[in-house]
Amino acid sequence: EKGGYEHFMLKEINEQPRSIADCMRGRLDAKNGRLVLGGLRDYMNKFQNADRIIITACGTSWHAGLVAEYLFEEFARIPVEVEYASEFRYRNPVISDKDFVIAISQSGETADTLAAIELAKSKGATIFGVCNVVGSSIARATHAGCYTHAGPEIGVASTKAFTAQISVLTMMALMLGYQRGTLTESKYIQLLNELEGIPSKVEKALTMNNNIEKIAAIYKDSRNFLYLGRGYNFPVALEGALKLKEISYIHAEGYPAAEMKHGPIALIDEEMPVVFIATKDTSYEKVVSNIQEVKARKGKIIAVVTEGDIVVRGMADHVLEIPETAEAFVPLLSVIPLQQLSYHIAVMRGCNVDQPRNLAKSVTVE
Ligand code: M6R
């Protein structure tokens, strides 16, 4: 059932070209400029006219929500708040019937997310689910939704569900932007075409770095890791750190790169591996200066870069390349080498990759 792989996690990482394509199948048809999300049809009006989008989730699904915050605000110009379900549900939050709430959950059974939905529903908000498991509690508790169609995810560390969640949220943001007129037709068509090509770029990203195991072997005994990124890659930094800590038990923190000088920079010495996501986008130059700051303090630099980058290559101790794509779609590619790196480090440390200690695949208690 592991399809020849040693672990479900590795199988699921490698399935991503297919799971993303499955997620977009029947929904995205770039050639004809079409994007259809059946689950959204009856609620498009509510979505388009919402005062605010509130996204609620836990863990990796919350990270997908953070990526969506950038997507919705960039393309649709609607303010977004991303909430940990466990905090939201107990805060007596201000919610009205003009709010459009998106709950994201792979399992569809996460207790806090379910409770956050019930609360928002009782205040009159429209609730939209982005779930992987068909017929799950969250899928049933929401007014409408869109399945991610990633297929069963067995490994406790979420991988293919994350990229499928982002794929659905990206399609939602593009549809919304186009409908609201905040995204021009030509830009929309251009983005649809780029999105359709993402599965083959993920395929390439999966095989283009044959140095990952070597990097894993060098840093597997590190006590700490720092992950830094900006813009669309900030949530990816959080996700990279979570992947490492949950399966390898190495302490890791993700930060927006510019926040480094407000505290975490004190941690940097020659023992500290720092993973930068430094792709060629609008924050590239800024990230390059952040890399220089770490280098000046002798930190070890592992950088995820756009294919062909030579500037960061000249500065970093190791680089992991990904294909070039639209800035908004980079998380779908930049997370790939981070998933692979955490997988190999965990395997080399002898950890139970698919079933890490103290963790359950779905957290059905609060
Ligand atoms: O099933 P859900 O997406 O609601 O689960 C949320 C989190 O429990 C989950 O993403 C968790 O953080 C993963 N183990 C991360 O890999």
Side-chain angles (χ1 to χ4, degrees), residues 51-71:
D51 279 351
R52 182 171 67 148
I53 296 169
I54 299 174
I55 301 178
T56 189
C58 304
T60 287
S61 298
W62 183 80
H63 296 156
L66 282 181
V67 174
E69 175 178 17
Y70 288 79
L71 290 165

Side-chain angles (χ1 to χ4, degrees), residues 86-156:
S86 56
E87 288 297 317
F88 185 70
R89 63 179 289 199
Y90 287 117
R91 204 179 57 228
N92 189 15
V94 180
I95 313 169
S96 81
D97 58 0
K98 294 283 282 173
D99 289 325
F100 192 88
V101 175
I102 302 174
I104 310 171
S105 176
Q106 187 288 127
S107 63
E109 301 298 341
T110 302
D112 281 321
T113 308
L114 193 53
I117 291 170
E118 298 300 350
L119 173 72
K121 220 203 248 176
S122 74
K123 309 252 186 199
T126 303
I127 325 288
F128 192 86
V130 176
C131 295
N132 195 41
V133 177
V134 176
S136 54
S137 305
I138 291 175
R140 285 181 283 119
T142 46
H143 293 114
C146 198
Y147 285 115
T148 44
H149 295 309
E153 188 181 67
I154 311 295
V156 164

Side-chain angles (χ1 to χ4, degrees), residues 1-16 152-157 159-160 213 247-249 339-356:
E1 75 237 71
K2 289 185 201 148
Y5 289 102
E6 206 180 324
H7 298 99
F8 282 109
M9 184 182 175
L10 186 60
K11 169 174 177 267
E12 289 158 6
I13 289 172
N14 285 304
E15 263 170 12
Q16 288 175 106
E153 188 181 67
I154 311 295
V156 164
T159 53
K160 65 174 181 172
E213 286 178 69
I247 61 169
S248 74
Y249 318 142
Q339 294 170 343
Q340 292 172 316
L341 181 66
S342 59
Y343 171 78
H344 289 297
I345 290 178
V347 169
M348 285 175 196
R349 287 167 67 89
C351 295
N352 186 344
V353 174
D354 285 335
Q355 279 186 293

Side-chain angles (χ1 to χ4, degrees), residues 256-287:
E259 275 293 305
M260 179 180 69
K261 52 170 81 65
H262 299 282
I265 198 163
L267 293 165
I268 293 165
D269 61 15
E270 56 285 340
E271 305 273 279
M272 181 67 135
V274 183
V275 179
F276 273 98
I277 306 139
T279 50
K280 287 242 172 69
D281 54 40
T282 46
S283 48
Y284 178 71
E285 301 296 336
K286 302 269 177 205
V287 175

Side-chain angles (χ1 to χ4, degrees), residues 216-234:
I218 298 172
Y219 298 103
K220 72 175 185 11
D221 296 316
S222 300
R223 301 283 308 276
N224 300 287
F225 263 77
L226 200 55
Y227 285 72
L228 302 174
R230 299 175 82 127
Y232 281 98
N233 282 319
F234 156 54

Side-chain angles (χ1 to χ4, degrees), residues 181-225:
T182 43
L183 190 57
T184 62
E185 170 130 33
S186 62
K187 183 80 185 157
Y188 177 68
I189 299 294
Q190 186 196 328
L191 289 166
L192 293 188
N193 277 293
E194 183 59 30
L195 188 59
E196 206 165 67
I198 285 290
S200 57
K201 290 191 178 178
V202 170
E203 180 93 63
K204 188 170 171 199
L206 282 164
T207 53
M208 68 196 293
N209 298 296
N210 54 18
N211 55 342
I212 294 192
E213 286 178 69
K214 196 186 102 202
I215 301 172
I218 298 172
Y219 298 103
K220 72 175 185 11
D221 296 316
S222 300
R223 301 283 308 276
N224 300 287
F225 263 77

